[in-house]
Amino acid sequence: MGATLSQAQHAEARKFFEQVDADHNGQISLAELKAAMKLDDHHAKKLILAVDQDHNKRLSYEEFLELFKVRYGPLFSEIDKNGGGSISHVEFVTFCVQAGATNTQDIENFLESGDTDKSGVLDFFEFCQALIRLGI
């Protein structure tokens, strides 16, 4: 996964950040993170500690971006075999089959619902949001 986000990816990430920031104070609290990512207290605290650079136990937008890189970056990179910064249909299906997934309808549904911009590929934030919707 590339470290640089496009303008469109930043806009999508900012939009998602604002959705998670339920009290609209510009920071993601532990409670907001737990609710958005369906995490228990222990795992949410662990994620915040991993990226909370100013040690205020809240996530700024920049820390929020880092959180996604920490939580979902390794898996995204594993699936994105060609390193192109997006996951193609073929890359995702290949990964799922190798992981033992057999329900092709579930795979297709994930791809279709995840590809919010209908580009035919999943960018990093589409991938993250699709996993979050599944409770992963």
Side-chain angles (χ1 to χ4, degrees), residues 8-20 35-38 61 64-65 68-69 71-73 75-76 87 109-117 122-136:
Q9 288 171 321
H10 265 294
E12 188 67 27
R14 175 62 73 176
K15 179 179 167 186
F16 187 54
F17 177 84
E18 290 170 357
Q19 290 172 349
V20 175
M37 297 182 75
K38 299 175 177 72
Y61 173 68
F64 186 70
L65 291 178
F68 281 94
K69 291 176 188 175
R71 183 167 171 93
Y72 299 112
L75 179 59
F76 183 86
I87 296 173
N109 288 344
F110 180 89
L111 288 166
E112 186 177 324
S113 67
D115 185 16
T116 57
D117 66 2
L122 297 178
D123 69 33
F124 181 65
F125 285 98
E126 287 175 324
F127 177 72
C128 294
Q129 288 179 300
L131 290 175
I132 290 167
R133 282 192 295 272
L134 291 176
I136 298 172

Side-chain angles (χ1 to χ4, degrees), residues 49-115:
L49 286 173
V51 297
D52 184 19
Q53 297 171 357
D54 58 9
H55 308 290
N56 68 353
K57 298 181 182 169
R58 296 175 154 270
L59 300 179
S60 66
Y61 173 68
E62 291 75 20
E63 292 166 336
F64 186 70
L65 291 178
E66 188 62 26
L67 170 68
F68 281 94
K69 291 176 188 175
V70 168
R71 183 167 171 93
Y72 299 112
L75 179 59
F76 183 86
S77 294
E78 184 178 343
I79 299 170
D80 180 22
K81 293 292 186 194
N82 70 2
S86 62
I87 296 173
S88 71
H89 185 273
V90 170
E91 287 172 323
F92 190 73
V93 170
T94 300
F95 173 82
C96 289
V97 169
Q98 289 173 347
T102 57
N103 188 327
T104 56
Q105 188 60 49
D106 285 347
I107 295 169
E108 292 298 327
N109 288 344
F110 180 89
L111 288 166
E112 186 177 324
S113 67
D115 185 16

